[in-house]
């Protein structure tokens, strides 16, 4: 495990199997050769979200391109530590904070990200390519074997309409009468069977939802209003904090099941 | 509560009591007058970490100075949502990430921050003034009535030597045989009495602790090695994630006690 952790991991689009040649694009080649100073003969790990993780050896390298030869599989896709049932619906906020949400959600195992446009969302902040590249880089660093799916931006109404009635949608309500998220997760994960199934987390924009939006959220049958405690958290802190709790509860249930 | 939330909150050093005049420094005056465009007659909330939270009215304002008159107390110091028993010992990492640790730790209620110098820590990254200003700003935004105490940087050995044997020091060990932090907190908080007392969280540098450092940490009687799950988290994510779990567990116990 420690040997693997010291390897550079790259997300690629290609199918991965033994003896396959992988030609890296300019950006990844530059990273390996100029930034990380790998030479021909060095090994890296590759994953594509489908075929698990593979050891590959650098067989050709210059500043503009790099060629790898796939050797053997190091982990099957089934060992992906991502959490397939976890979706984050988030209103994009300021650029650095949105980047942080995408990066940390990926690290924390989120399987699907849905950028939600609300009345107080500046749609200029929705940069799909940027989100995808941040998510890929975060996945490379955290031993995931997949990158999260990132949906095209959607309006709040459409997002709510598409959300299934039977899949809990945690909503961090600033009205502090809601139960603590940890206490809800605690109760669910001590239930027998699949008490902690697929779920979503909805995080509003910096200025909060409008009254009408909040009403629409609360009217959805799946909505489960929760509190994160007595302190007022910024939007990105609320996202990271709530995802940490949910990911840990999933992890705990998974551990118990083994 | 919603009325209070819409007020600007400022951390000041002055004692706070009715009719007291507070003269703000250049930076806070600029923020109120030029950035937030408050005019004479507007109200803000003040706190100093000792006297609770007070409503104050702007009585004189120009670009370089602002004068406030304290009116009445809005919250006693006893309602501070900070968590007095929570200490974070962290190895400063890259500048933006260290800033993030200080900001988020403050939002999540940490009472005391100890910058710890390890073999892989670049001491240039320890900027006490910067830490204090980030913590004050985060406290202003999250309804705390206190800023965290930030110790002068200390070596790892000295930090461990000063840490009491009977105060759990959670250590996010990358050796994944440790129990999940959530499961440890779960067990502690279901114990009767004060199962969840004061504790600390120790976060290492980006490159991790050296073998000798790790040994010293594990040899301390208070050390409780924990895991944050199957994914490898960056240092700052580990800090925010673990603090979210601990803060929520405290919050839950506090709620139960009420």
């Amino acid at each position: 495990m420690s040997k693997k952790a010291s390897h550079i991991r790259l997300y690629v689009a290609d199918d991965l199997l033994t003896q396959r040649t992988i030609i890296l694009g300019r950006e990844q080649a530059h990273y390996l050769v100029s930034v990380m100073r790998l030479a021909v003969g060095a090994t890296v790990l590759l994953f594509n979200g489908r075929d698990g993780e593979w050891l590959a050896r650098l067989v050709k390298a210059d500043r503009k391109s790099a060629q790898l030869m796939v050797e053997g599989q190091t982990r099957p896709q089934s060992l992906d530590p991502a959490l397939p049932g976890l979706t984050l619906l988030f209103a994009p906020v300021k650029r650095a904070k949105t980047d942080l949400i995408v990066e940390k959600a990926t690290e924390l195992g989120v399987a699907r990200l849905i950028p939600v446009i609300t009345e107080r969302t500046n749609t200029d902040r929705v940069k799909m390519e940027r989100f995808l590249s941040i998510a890929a880089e975060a996945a490379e660093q955290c031993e995931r074997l997949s990158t999260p799916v990132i949906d095209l931006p959607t309006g709040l109404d459409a997002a709510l309409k598409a959300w299934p009635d039977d899949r809990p949608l945690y909503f961090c309500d600033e009205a502090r009468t809601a139960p603590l998220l940890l206490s809800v997760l605690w109760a669910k994960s001590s239930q027998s069977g699949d008490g902690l199934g697929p779920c979503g987390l909805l995080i509003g924009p910096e200025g909060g939802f409008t009254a009408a939006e909040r009403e629409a959220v609360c009217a959805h049958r799946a909505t489960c209003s929760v509190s994160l405690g007595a302190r007022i958290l910024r939007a990105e802190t609320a996202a990271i904090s709530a995802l940490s709790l949910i990911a840990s509860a999933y992890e705990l249930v998974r551990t118990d099941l083994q």
Side-chain angles (χ1 to χ4, degrees), chain A residues 91 100 125 169 232:
Chain A
L100 196 69
R125 291 173 187 163
L169 181 62
I232 299 286

Side-chain angles (χ1 to χ4, degrees), chain A residues 60-119:
Chain A
K60 236 174 94 176
D62 57 49
R63 280 180 190 180
K64 288 179 189 166
S65 71
Q67 201 169 306
L68 295 156
M69 171 70 75
V70 178
E71 300 194 339
Q73 196 184 48
T74 48
R75 276 193 295 168
Q77 190 63 34
S78 60
L79 287 187
D80 185 6
L83 303 167
L86 184 52
T87 300
L88 174 67
L89 299 92
F90 71 104
V93 286
K94 282 184 197 156
R95 176 170 154 157
K97 295 178 176 208
T98 307
D99 290 355
L100 196 69
I101 289 176
V102 173
E103 178 183 295
K104 297 314 175 204
T106 306
E107 279 185 69
L108 291 166
V110 167
R112 187 176 164 204
L113 285 159
I114 310 182
V116 174
I117 308 302
T118 71
E119 276 194 42

Side-chain angles (χ1 to χ4, degrees), chain A residues 3-21:
Chain A
K3 195 182 162 208
K4 279 171 61 186
S6 67
H7 269 102
I8 291 166
R9 298 177 74 251
L10 291 181
Y11 172 73
V12 295
D14 314 62
D15 289 334
L16 294 170
L17 63 168
T18 310
Q19 299 299 324
R20 170 64 60 109
T21 300

Side-chain angles (χ1 to χ4, degrees), chain A residues 23-215:
Chain A
I23 296 167
L24 296 181
R26 198 178 174 128
E27 209 169 311
Q28 287 186 318
H30 171 78
Y31 173 68
L32 285 193
V33 181
S34 304
V35 181
M36 300 308 294
R37 301 181 176 279
L38 294 197
V40 165
T43 53
V44 301
L45 293 170
L46 304 178
F47 66 102
N48 61 8
R50 306 180 301 277
D51 302 323
E53 182 186 68
W54 295 72
L55 192 77
R57 195 170 297 274
L58 200 56
V59 290
K60 236 174 94 176
D62 57 49
R63 280 180 190 180
K64 288 179 189 166
S65 71
Q67 201 169 306
L68 295 156
M69 171 70 75
V70 178
E71 300 194 339
Q73 196 184 48
T74 48
R75 276 193 295 168
Q77 190 63 34
S78 60
L79 287 187
D80 185 6
L83 303 167
L86 184 52
T87 300
L88 174 67
L89 299 92
F90 71 104
V93 286
K94 282 184 197 156
R95 176 170 154 157
K97 295 178 176 208
T98 307
D99 290 355
L100 196 69
I101 289 176
V102 173
E103 178 183 295
K104 297 314 175 204
T106 306
E107 279 185 69
L108 291 166
V110 167
R112 187 176 164 204
L113 285 159
I114 310 182
V116 174
I117 308 302
T118 71
E119 276 194 42
R120 293 182 186 143
T121 304
N122 180 343
T123 48
D124 294 349
R125 291 173 187 163
V126 184
K127 307 271 187 211
M128 289 302 289
E129 266 194 48
R130 186 172 172 79
F131 292 173
L132 291 165
S133 120
I134 289 170
E137 204 179 302
E140 288 170 352
Q141 293 215 9
C142 75
E143 305 245 329
R144 276 180 75 145
L145 299 181
S146 57
T147 57
V149 171
I150 306 184
D151 284 20
L152 286 172
T154 177
L156 178 65
D157 280 345
L160 289 174
K161 208 166 166 189
W163 190 261
D165 276 359
D166 59 354
R167 182 170 305 181
L169 181 62
Y170 298 110
F171 166 50
C172 298
D173 205 341
E174 282 179 26
R176 295 181 199 165
T177 47
L180 286 170
L181 173 57
L182 186 58
S183 125
V184 173
L185 293 171
W186 216 284
K188 276 191 192 281
S189 55
S190 31
Q191 279 166 25
S192 57
D194 42 31
L196 204 69
C199 71
L201 172 70
L202 173 63
I203 295 288
E206 260 157 314
F209 289 111
T210 64
E213 285 175 336
R214 198 184 158 277
E215 216 168 286

Side-chain angles (χ1 to χ4, degrees), chain A residues 196-254:
Chain A
L196 204 69
C199 71
L201 172 70
L202 173 63
I203 295 288
E206 260 157 314
F209 289 111
T210 64
E213 285 175 336
R214 198 184 158 277
E215 216 168 286
V217 170
C218 293
H220 197 291
R221 296 185 78 178
T223 297
C224 176
S225 289
V226 292
S227 155
L228 290 173
R231 289 161 306 282
I232 299 286
L233 302 179
R234 290 174 169 100
E236 79 281 10
T237 318
I240 301 170
S241 201
L243 289 175
S244 298
L245 298 180
I246 298 171
S248 271
Y250 270 117
E251 198 89 34
L252 195 60
V253 171
R254 183 149 71 177

